[in-house]
Amino acid sequence: MISALLLLAGAAPFPISHSPFPVQDTTRGKAVYVKWCAGCHGDGGAGDGAAAAHMLPRPRNFTGAIYKIRTTASGQLPTDADLMRAIDEGLPGSAMPAWKGRLSDAERRDVVAYIKTFSSFFADTSQHVAALKFSGEPSGATGATALKTGRQFYDSIGCRKCHGDQGRGEGPSAPTLKDDAGFPIFAADLHQSWRFRGGGSAMEIYHRLRTGLDGTPMPSFSDLIDQKFLTDEQLWRLAQYVRSLSPPEPPEVRDVIHAPQIVGPTPVSPDDSTWARVGRYWFPLVGQVVRKGRWFAPAVTGVWVQGVHDGRTLALRVSWDDRTQSPDSAWRPFEQRVLETVAGDDSGPPKAEPWPDQLAVQFPRRLPESPAGMERPYFLMGSETDPVYQWRWTSSPRKSVAGLARGIDRFDTLPGAVAAQASFDHGEWRLVFTRALATPDTANEVQLAAGRAIPVAFFGWDGSSGEHGSRMAVSTWYFLALDRPTPPGVFISPVLAMLVTLGLGLVVVRRAQRRATARAGRQR
């Protein structure tokens, strides 16, 4: 029996897999790839699928086996677990979605095996693919000392050259950046960790600092540890500092902006101290792809919105990250490269122009007759028959106007201008619109009423990315609610009810005690 088993073993040895996953089938993997991946990455895996020309960053070219997000050292192949993680979780901030909930475990394993067939490097048996050994996160991540150390190394190793002094991707080298394929590339906005390709935790940021992002200008800093320029703990402090620039949690998209009523005049300056005491709301923006010329790579990815009113006037503060105050001649060559890289459906070849930055806030022209009615005009700037009321602001010349939009191509200015003040600081615009709640022009200007759900939408343009006209970022409809002050009775009534209940309870207890005392006297 034993000799027979040995004979079988010698005749047909079992294959030894170097992958942590079960046996993978490249034939089945090809079927998955052709159906779900080839549209972006191309039939031959060169990152040249039909949709690729509309994307920035471009889809991965698998033939060169150069991967940004890995747990291996710079210049090395990724592990199968690295590839699987990118497929499972997607790559935030790019067009690569998460596939874990859409494809089965077997399908994802098989497509990993097929992707590796595009490059001969994976078949090279002399390659020893192994993940780096990462240390654990030191304590004190959010302490002042840790963050101060992190900031010191942020400056000393040159992070600010690309990412900027405040980390919004506005450094002096930012307009010159390109990847190894020659495509323009944005330095990461470190204030939006939820868009980091490899994850936004301090641990994941530390991993990127150790591995680098191959194929991009972002290097590995492991060699600085080897050269004893900094210690592993100091690199951790840098990761913790970078993480501290973003909110503790990714922003939750909510449907309603609550604008409380305040005592005193509404703030007109975007840097007024009032805004530090008011809740802010995040709204994502996406590229306008409905009308020509479509725009698939918007630079403005979202806006933060706050609002207050005093019963007579509304102040609405909108802030967003923008790497440059447009127009900016230093960014003109970068703008041209973006326009040449991202395909559009314009009639002629794109040309960089000194476009300004712009923002628009949109409302219906009138609120529904019934507060319960939620019918809204077409979100993309209304239509000829059902226009929308908009506030528009531009950075150059610095001005704001109010008017009616009857589609993308038509905007009729109204005489009642909305007031606005704006400030730009290290890659962030802060803008405050102010307008009376009620205006004389009830036919064209929305009348803002407390206690009503007021539909609102947002549009953004980054001039230094070539955005103007229909090349813009858009949101869907959300709602603005002008909150009423809480009546004093809401607080007084519960207190009075509690006191009455307590008083009645004391009366009942006192009577019960008297009866008990009387009974005891009779028994004696």
Side-chain angles (χ1 to χ4, degrees):
M1 180 67 177
I2 295 175
S3 60
L5 290 174
L6 291 174
L7 181 62
L8 286 172
F14 292 104
I16 299 175
S17 175
H18 295 286
S19 169
F21 303 113
V23 175
Q24 298 159 297
D25 188 320
T26 56
T27 301
R28 290 197 300 263
K30 180 178 180 180
V32 174
Y33 180 89
V34 169
K35 182 176 182 179
W36 298 109
C37 312
C40 294
H41 294 282
D43 293 336
D48 57 355
H54 302 284
M55 297 178 181
L56 191 69
R58 286 294 177 90
R60 177 61 39 211
N61 179 349
F62 298 127
T63 63
I66 298 174
Y67 290 83
K68 296 180 185 178
I69 310 302
R70 314 167 321 284
T71 56
T72 57
S74 180
Q76 291 191 3
L77 295 172
T79 66
D80 277 14
D82 293 334
L83 298 176
M84 193 72 166
R85 188 179 303 110
I87 293 170
D88 284 356
E89 300 175 7
L91 298 175
S94 76
M96 174 67 178
W99 293 98
K100 190 170 185 178
R102 310 180 192 193
L103 300 176
S104 69
D105 289 347
E107 287 174 321
R108 301 195 314 278
R109 289 195 302 269
D110 292 340
V111 82
V112 164
Y114 182 68
I115 286 171
K116 292 164 64 177
T117 67
F118 289 123
S119 174
S120 60
F121 288 108
F122 284 102
D124 185 353
T125 57
S126 65
Q127 297 272 354
H128 300 288
V129 180
L132 292 172
K133 293 182 179 179
F134 299 109
S135 61
E137 182 173 5
S139 59
T142 59
T145 301
L147 298 183
K148 181 179 180 181
T149 300
R151 173 68 205 208
Q152 289 172 345
F153 281 94
Y154 180 88
D155 294 336
S156 65
I157 65 177
C159 301
R160 62 193 303 166
K161 292 179 181 178
C162 295
H163 296 285
D165 184 66
Q166 297 300 315
R168 290 190 171 90
E170 83 287 5
S173 298
T176 69
L177 299 180
K178 58 184 178 180
D179 62 19
D180 285 3
F183 295 125
I185 188 171
F186 287 104
D189 182 345
L190 305 182
H191 290 251
Q192 297 185 9
S193 61
W194 58 91
R195 291 175 54 82
F196 291 178
R197 308 277 192 276
S201 70
M203 178 189 70
E204 290 162 326
I205 296 168
Y206 165 78
H207 288 180
R208 299 291 76 76
L209 293 171
R210 287 286 311 276
T211 65
L213 300 178
D214 285 359
T216 80
M218 176 67 183
S220 162
F221 293 101
S222 290
D223 58 337
L224 295 185
I225 296 176
D226 297 337
Q227 297 166 12
K228 301 190 184 306
F229 182 83
L230 77 168
T231 65
D232 185 71
E233 180 178 332
Q234 289 166 337
L235 194 65
W236 263 110
R237 297 307 186 198
L238 173 57
Q240 291 165 344
Y241 168 73
V242 169
R243 180 62 188 86
S244 74
L245 298 177
S246 296
E249 298 293 335
E252 178 184 355
V253 180
R254 289 175 280 181
D255 291 333
V256 182
I257 306 159
H258 285 279
Q261 183 168 343
I262 61 174
V263 178
T266 53
V268 298
S269 167
D271 301 313
D272 191 288
S273 60
T274 301
W275 300 115
R277 303 188 296 273
V278 178
R280 63 179 192 159
Y281 302 82
W282 167 260
F283 299 104
L285 272 63
V286 298
Q288 189 287 117
V289 297
V290 179
R291 288 277 308 279
K292 293 184 178 182
R294 297 173 178 85
W295 190 234
F296 294 86
V300 183
T301 59
V303 292
W304 291 98
V305 184
Q306 299 167 279
V308 295
H309 72 101
D310 62 2
R312 298 176 303 278
T313 302
L314 168 69
L316 195 69
R317 184 182 192 258
V318 185
S319 57
W320 68 98
D321 288 0
D322 186 340
R323 292 170 174 83
T324 178
Q325 183 175 188
S326 305
D328 186 335
S329 59
W331 281 77
R332 191 79 60 80
F334 186 89
E335 176 188 349
Q336 185 63 42
R337 292 199 301 273
V338 169
L339 293 175
E340 293 171 352
T341 299
V342 183
D345 47 15
D346 303 87
S347 57
K351 180 182 178 182
E353 300 285 354
W355 303 111
D357 296 324
Q358 300 175 75
L359 187 99
V361 180
Q362 174 175 287
F363 304 91
R365 182 171 50 160
R366 301 185 190 90
L367 296 182
E369 293 293 331
S370 168
M374 287 300 167
E375 187 174 347
R376 288 152 287 179
Y378 184 44
F379 82 99
L380 194 56
M381 300 196 175
S383 64
E384 282 288 343
T385 57
D386 193 6
V388 291
Y389 173 70
Q390 289 187 344
W391 298 338
R392 292 190 174 187
W393 169 88
T394 181
S395 65
S396 180
R398 191 76 65 88
K399 68 175 184 178
S400 60
V401 296
L404 294 181
R406 303 178 185 273
I408 290 179
D409 302 322
R410 180 178 172 185
F411 180 76
D412 300 326
T413 303
L414 294 171
V418 62
Q421 283 193 26
S423 65
F424 183 83
D425 180 47
H426 291 93
E428 182 186 38
W429 276 112
R430 298 187 287 270
L431 169 66
V432 172
F433 289 107
T434 53
R435 203 211 75 173
L437 302 188
T439 68
D441 189 357
T442 58
N444 295 311
E445 297 181 339
V446 65
Q447 302 300 293
L448 304 170
R452 294 291 303 273
I454 304 166
V456 63
F458 305 93
F459 301 83
W461 294 260
D462 174 19
S464 292
S465 291
E467 296 177 359
H468 67 99
S470 62
R471 288 175 172 257
M472 59 182 164
V474 305
S475 82
T476 186
W477 284 108
Y478 294 98
F479 294 97
L480 171 66
L482 308 185
D483 294 342
R484 293 189 177 101
T486 304
V490 171
F491 301 105
I492 295 173
S493 297
V495 175
L496 290 176
M498 183 180 66
L499 291 175
V500 170
T501 303
L502 179 61
L504 290 174
L506 290 173
V507 170
V508 172
V509 170
R510 185 65 58 83
R511 287 180 178 177
Q513 289 174 341
R514 288 174 180 172
R515 291 194 191 100
T517 302
R519 266 196 237 90
R522 286 196 296 272
Q523 289 173 358
R524 286 199 201 96

